[in-house]
Amino acid sequence: ILVAIFVIFSGLILADFTRNFVAKTLASIGKSYSETLARLAQAMVIIVASIIAIEQMGINGTVLTLAVTIIFGSTLGAIALAFSLGSRPTVANMLALQQAVKNLEIGDTIQIDGITGRIVEFTKTAVILKCEDGSIIVPGERLATEIIVHRK
């Protein structure tokens, strides 16, 4: 039982260190969700320490370990699915623009969807056109799906 108490105590200290490390690291690169991920990392360390402590007390933790693994795997799968579905438009714009840049240059004049403008800038996901009415931002995906009249 003393070993189990030591494991829990050590796990809590390690979990707190992990939370602080993850929060500071993500905050330093400007991520707004740093505290949420830090709490998630802290919880995972506490869960692992608890399972180890239960096994140290002589209780079979196989079922608990399996349940935690399934929950963790399902959560990661849901996060990955949400990320992939949410990033689809951005990735489509980036890939389409990457292809368009091979045929277009800054200074070229294009007409797309009835709008004529001179290319003044390529961003990661769009092209900026200078038109009579001002500047227009055209998403990269539109360059791949619309008919474009290109004049050098």
Side-chain angles (χ1 to χ4, degrees), residues 13-85:
I13 292 172
L14 182 62
D16 191 51
F17 172 78
T18 302
R19 181 181 58 82
N20 290 333
F21 177 76
V22 170
K24 287 178 185 175
T25 302
L26 291 176
S28 72
I29 58 173
K31 300 299 179 188
S32 60
Y33 48 82
S34 62
E35 192 58 36
T36 303
L37 288 180
R39 294 274 181 199
L40 181 62
Q42 180 184 28
M44 291 308 299
V45 171
I46 290 171
I47 289 170
V48 169
S50 299
I51 291 171
I52 293 170
I54 287 171
E55 289 179 349
Q56 286 298 317
M57 291 189 305
I59 300 170
N60 189 354
T62 305
V63 173
L64 183 59
T65 303
L66 185 60
V68 168
T69 303
I70 290 170
I71 291 169
F72 184 67
S74 299
T75 302
L76 286 180
I79 290 170
L81 180 63
F83 179 77
S84 66
L85 292 175

